[in-house]
Amino acid sequence: MSTHKEVKRITTHTLQKLKLKGEKISMLTAYDFSFARLFDAAGIDVLLVGDSASNVMAGHETTLPITLDQMIYHAQSVIRGIHHCLVVVDLPFGTYQSNSDIALASAIRIMKETGAHAIKLEGGEEVVDSIKRIVSAGIPVMGHLGLTPQSIYKFGTYNVRAKEEAEANKLRNDARLLQEAGCFALVLEKIPATLAGDVSKSLEIPTIGIGAGPDCDGQVLVMHDLLGINTEFKPRFLRQYLNLHESITGAVQQYISDVKAKDFPNEKESY
Ligand code: KIV
């Protein structure tokens, strides 16, 4: 007897099949129960509990300050909201770079304490040993190349990466190494579309692009950007599907004015 509800869940193998079929993968960030439930019910393939929570949930300038405990809290909330999508959780800055023992311990904490299905970490050759250890422990790993926000102080800007041949070649090599190390997918962030297309074609595992053009095997956006909650952030790659900033501001202003005018609550809204 199974104790699990019979729902068709998306797994890392589903993503591999989607790539083979040529069907694009949809991925979006989520950080809490309510949005995760909405996105899952809408049919999203993958939810990423991104360390962008540091920016959009906690208001930090970079992704560096968020802790493993805080990522675990967000991931636990997301997991409670989903029934079918794959949930991937970022290992935050400082929880995997020192050595592969620490990386494995961080990944195990995420899997054990949240019920998530995979972890993501940033970097190429320098994190290959950690990826191998984590994958050997049975934990699926998503890689992340190109603009890796945890290295923002090394890059100095959020500009497009790998425009020069040397960096493009390193990225091609890193992508191959990550696939060989056992990654099930790779995020490619803010790199030229032609490079992302070449890498996607050369790999067996799917690539998920953000600011990396149409030829990746899937696309990811930060939910606050897609929904138009952040109006200050308008990079070229972003398609904003809603203007929630305007809708929410309007709704809250209307509420304030109804309260001040003693219009809310009315008789029907009272006991
Ligand atoms: O943390 C995040 O939201 C991410 C995506 C931008 C890919 O890593």
Side-chain angles (χ1 to χ4, degrees):
M1 189 188 81
S2 167
T3 54
H4 299 282
K5 272 200 240 145
E6 286 301 319
V7 268
K8 197 149 174 40
R9 284 190 174 276
I10 306 232
T11 68
T12 56
H13 303 280
T14 320
L15 303 191
Q16 187 63 59
K17 283 188 202 142
L18 290 179
K19 171 158 180 147
L20 283 173
K21 272 204 293 181
E23 182 179 330
K24 300 282 184 182
I25 298 161
S26 61
M27 174 159 129
L28 192 55
T29 67
Y31 316 96
D32 72 353
F33 167 79
S34 301
F35 277 109
R37 190 160 67 156
L38 274 170
F39 301 159
D40 184 70
I44 199 81
D45 294 318
V46 186
L47 283 182
L48 170 67
V49 185
D51 59 356
S52 48
S54 181
N55 310 104
V56 296
M57 300 303 286
H60 293 297
E61 207 173 302
T62 72
T63 57
L64 276 69
I66 199 159
T67 66
L68 190 55
D69 284 340
Q70 288 164 340
M71 289 300 298
I72 287 172
Y73 167 78
H74 286 296
Q76 286 170 335
S77 310
V78 165
I79 281 289
R80 285 183 213 115
I82 65 105
H83 290 296
H84 97 289
C85 69
L86 183 83
V87 176
V88 182
V89 183
D90 264 334
L91 285 190
F93 177 70
T95 67
Y96 62 96
Q97 289 90 348
S98 326
N99 61 56
S100 64
D101 287 338
I102 291 177
L104 178 59
S106 302
I108 287 176
R109 272 203 69 197
I110 299 251
M111 301 301 284
K112 215 173 176 64
E113 295 179 38
T114 73
H117 313 123
I119 61 101
K120 173 165 89 57
L121 50 76
E122 296 181 5
E125 196 173 1
E126 62 286 359
V127 289
V128 158
D129 284 345
S130 296
I131 292 173
K132 285 184 181 159
R133 292 277 309 276
I134 297 170
V135 172
S136 309
I139 301 172
V141 177
M142 180 180 274
H144 185 156
L145 295 173
L147 177 64
T148 45
Q150 293 178 14
S151 303
I152 187 58
Y153 291 118
K154 184 175 87 180
F155 297 145
T157 72
Y158 285 98
N159 291 346
V160 177
R161 303 304 313 174
K163 279 162 94 174
E164 308 300 331
E165 204 43 32
E167 195 177 333
N169 282 339
K170 174 169 167 32
L171 190 141
R172 283 191 193 94
N173 191 48
D174 281 343
R176 188 181 48 78
L177 291 175
L178 293 194
Q179 172 169 278
E180 283 168 11
C183 283
F184 71 91
L186 277 193
V187 166
L188 296 176
E189 180 164 353
K190 232 173 165 188
I191 60 170
T194 46
L195 174 61
D198 287 352
V199 170
S200 304
K201 263 188 228 107
S202 74
L203 294 180
E204 280 162 34
I205 58 172
T207 61
I208 318 274
I210 173 163
D215 295 328
C216 293
D217 303 302
Q219 297 293 326
V220 55
L221 283 176
V222 169
M223 57 159 279
H224 289 64
D225 302 336
L226 173 145
L227 297 175
I229 299 176
N230 287 336
T231 48
E232 316 84 50
F233 185 64
K234 281 205 162 79
R236 174 189 168 126
F237 69 76
L238 174 63
R239 188 176 296 177
Q240 195 183 298
Y241 287 82
L242 261 185
N243 189 341
L244 263 193
H245 179 270
E246 208 174 281
S247 310
I248 291 174
T249 305
V252 172
Q253 285 172 341
Q254 186 61 54
Y255 166 70
I256 294 167
S257 110
D258 288 353
V259 169
K260 301 276 180 199
K262 301 181 185 152
D263 175 74
F264 176 79
N266 63 22
E267 216 179 296
K268 275 200 205 140
E269 289 156 341
S270 305
Y271 297 100

